[in-house]
PDB file of all heavy atoms in Angstrom:
ATOM      1  N   MET A  78     -13.513   2.225  -5.082  1.00  0.00           N
ATOM      2  CA  MET A  78     -13.667   1.616  -6.391  1.00  0.00           C
ATOM      3  C   MET A  78     -15.085   1.788  -6.910  1.00  0.00           C
ATOM      4  O   MET A  78     -15.307   2.007  -8.127  1.00  0.00           O
ATOM      5  CB  MET A  78     -13.324   0.108  -6.338  1.00  0.00           C
ATOM      6  CG  MET A  78     -11.831  -0.145  -6.201  1.00  0.00           C
ATOM      7  SD  MET A  78     -10.786   0.645  -7.482  1.00  0.00           S
ATOM      8  CE  MET A  78     -11.371  -0.159  -8.937  1.00  0.00           C
ATOM      9  N   ILE A  79     -16.043   1.789  -6.023  1.00  0.00           N
ATOM     10  CA  ILE A  79     -17.455   2.087  -6.445  1.00  0.00           C
ATOM     11  C   ILE A  79     -17.535   3.497  -6.990  1.00  0.00           C
ATOM     12  O   ILE A  79     -18.185   3.742  -7.998  1.00  0.00           O
ATOM     13  CB  ILE A  79     -18.445   1.855  -5.265  1.00  0.00           C
ATOM     14  CG1 ILE A  79     -18.536   0.379  -4.939  1.00  0.00           C
ATOM     15  CG2 ILE A  79     -19.822   2.462  -5.592  1.00  0.00           C
ATOM     16  CD1 ILE A  79     -19.241   0.073  -3.650  1.00  0.00           C
ATOM     17  N   GLU A  80     -16.885   4.411  -6.320  1.00  0.00           N
ATOM     18  CA  GLU A  80     -16.836   5.825  -6.786  1.00  0.00           C
ATOM     19  C   GLU A  80     -16.183   5.907  -8.162  1.00  0.00           C
ATOM     20  O   GLU A  80     -16.665   6.654  -9.041  1.00  0.00           O
ATOM     21  CB  GLU A  80     -16.110   6.710  -5.767  1.00  0.00           C
ATOM     22  CG  GLU A  80     -16.849   6.929  -4.490  1.00  0.00           C
ATOM     23  CD  GLU A  80     -18.081   7.822  -4.683  1.00  0.00           C
ATOM     24  OE1 GLU A  80     -18.037   8.816  -5.441  1.00  0.00           O
ATOM     25  OE2 GLU A  80     -19.107   7.502  -4.069  1.00  0.00           O
ATOM     26  N   VAL A  81     -15.107   5.165  -8.359  1.00  0.00           N
ATOM     27  CA  VAL A  81     -14.410   5.195  -9.650  1.00  0.00           C
ATOM     28  C   VAL A  81     -15.309   4.696 -10.723  1.00  0.00           C
ATOM     29  O   VAL A  81     -15.441   5.249 -11.835  1.00  0.00           O
ATOM     30  CB  VAL A  81     -13.119   4.341  -9.575  1.00  0.00           C
ATOM     31  CG1 VAL A  81     -12.516   4.108 -10.944  1.00  0.00           C
ATOM     32  CG2 VAL A  81     -12.100   5.053  -8.683  1.00  0.00           C
ATOM     33  N   VAL A  82     -16.045   3.603 -10.500  1.00  0.00           N
ATOM     34  CA  VAL A  82     -16.956   3.038 -11.443  1.00  0.00           C
ATOM     35  C   VAL A  82     -18.075   3.999 -11.764  1.00  0.00           C
ATOM     36  O   VAL A  82     -18.401   4.229 -12.968  1.00  0.00           O
ATOM     37  CB  VAL A  82     -17.530   1.676 -10.969  1.00  0.00           C
ATOM     38  CG1 VAL A  82     -18.660   1.215 -11.854  1.00  0.00           C
ATOM     39  CG2 VAL A  82     -16.467   0.640 -10.930  1.00  0.00           C
ATOM     40  N   MET A  83     -18.667   4.611 -10.760  1.00  0.00           N
ATOM     41  CA  MET A  83     -19.738   5.559 -10.997  1.00  0.00           C
ATOM     42  C   MET A  83     -19.238   6.765 -11.810  1.00  0.00           C
ATOM     43  O   MET A  83     -19.931   7.232 -12.709  1.00  0.00           O
ATOM     44  CB  MET A  83     -20.335   5.987  -9.630  1.00  0.00           C
ATOM     45  CG  MET A  83     -21.138   4.922  -8.975  1.00  0.00           C
ATOM     46  SD  MET A  83     -21.693   5.353  -7.299  1.00  0.00           S
ATOM     47  CE  MET A  83     -22.238   7.006  -7.400  1.00  0.00           C
ATOM     48  N   THR A  84     -18.069   7.215 -11.459  1.00  0.00           N
ATOM     49  CA  THR A  84     -17.468   8.338 -12.223  1.00  0.00           C
ATOM     50  C   THR A  84     -17.240   7.967 -13.679  1.00  0.00           C
ATOM     51  O   THR A  84     -17.527   8.740 -14.577  1.00  0.00           O
ATOM     52  CB  THR A  84     -16.190   8.827 -11.536  1.00  0.00           C
ATOM     53  OG1 THR A  84     -16.497   9.235 -10.179  1.00  0.00           O
ATOM     54  CG2 THR A  84     -15.565  10.008 -12.295  1.00  0.00           C
ATOM     55  N   ALA A  85     -16.686   6.754 -13.905  1.00  0.00           N
ATOM     56  CA  ALA A  85     -16.448   6.308 -15.262  1.00  0.00           C
ATOM     57  C   ALA A  85     -17.741   6.231 -16.050  1.00  0.00           C
ATOM     58  O   ALA A  85     -17.797   6.640 -17.201  1.00  0.00           O
ATOM     59  CB  ALA A  85     -15.761   4.936 -15.258  1.00  0.00           C
ATOM     60  N   GLU A  86     -18.801   5.778 -15.428  1.00  0.00           N
ATOM     61  CA  GLU A  86     -20.076   5.710 -16.102  1.00  0.00           C
ATOM     62  C   GLU A  86     -20.589   7.090 -16.428  1.00  0.00           C
ATOM     63  O   GLU A  86     -21.060   7.318 -17.559  1.00  0.00           O
ATOM     64  CB  GLU A  86     -21.070   4.930 -15.231  1.00  0.00           C
ATOM     65  CG  GLU A  86     -20.775   3.442 -15.144  1.00  0.00           C
ATOM     66  CD  GLU A  86     -21.765   2.674 -14.290  1.00  0.00           C
ATOM     67  OE1 GLU A  86     -22.377   3.225 -13.375  1.00  0.00           O
ATOM     68  OE2 GLU A  86     -21.906   1.469 -14.567  1.00  0.00           O
ATOM     69  N   GLU A  87     -20.472   8.004 -15.531  1.00  0.00           N
ATOM     70  CA  GLU A  87     -20.978   9.377 -15.718  1.00  0.00           C
ATOM     71  C   GLU A  87     -20.145  10.164 -16.725  1.00  0.00           C
ATOM     72  O   GLU A  87     -20.659  10.843 -17.615  1.00  0.00           O
ATOM     73  CB  GLU A  87     -21.051  10.143 -14.412  1.00  0.00           C
ATOM     74  CG  GLU A  87     -22.023   9.611 -13.430  1.00  0.00           C
ATOM     75  CD  GLU A  87     -21.867  10.212 -12.021  1.00  0.00           C
ATOM     76  OE1 GLU A  87     -21.025  11.052 -11.806  1.00  0.00           O
ATOM     77  OE2 GLU A  87     -22.636   9.765 -11.127  1.00  0.00           O
ATOM     78  N   VAL A  88     -18.834  10.070 -16.586  1.00  0.00           N
ATOM     79  CA  VAL A  88     -17.933  10.909 -17.373  1.00  0.00           C
ATOM     80  C   VAL A  88     -17.667  10.336 -18.746  1.00  0.00           C
ATOM     81  O   VAL A  88     -17.631  11.003 -19.782  1.00  0.00           O
ATOM     82  CB  VAL A  88     -16.645  11.181 -16.627  1.00  0.00           C
ATOM     83  CG1 VAL A  88     -15.605  11.887 -17.489  1.00  0.00           C
ATOM     84  CG2 VAL A  88     -16.912  12.012 -15.367  1.00  0.00           C
ATOM     85  N   LEU A  89     -17.447   9.014 -18.767  1.00  0.00           N
ATOM     86  CA  LEU A  89     -17.095   8.378 -20.049  1.00  0.00           C
ATOM     87  C   LEU A  89     -18.293   7.796 -20.797  1.00  0.00           C
ATOM     88  O   LEU A  89     -18.157   7.339 -21.927  1.00  0.00           O
ATOM     89  CB  LEU A  89     -16.062   7.267 -19.793  1.00  0.00           C
ATOM     90  CG  LEU A  89     -14.797   7.671 -19.050  1.00  0.00           C
ATOM     91  CD1 LEU A  89     -13.920   6.475 -18.741  1.00  0.00           C
ATOM     92  CD2 LEU A  89     -14.037   8.747 -19.837  1.00  0.00           C
ATOM     93  N   GLY A  90     -19.428   7.771 -20.155  1.00  0.00           N
ATOM     94  CA  GLY A  90     -20.637   7.260 -20.809  1.00  0.00           C
ATOM     95  C   GLY A  90     -20.678   5.744 -20.944  1.00  0.00           C
ATOM     96  O   GLY A  90     -21.213   5.226 -21.893  1.00  0.00           O
TER      97      GLY A  90
END
Side-chain angles (χ1 to χ4, degrees):
M78 288 306 296
I79 291 168
E80 289 291 319
V81 168
V82 169
M83 289 173 42
T84 301
E86 289 180 333
E87 292 169 3
V88 172
L89 304 176

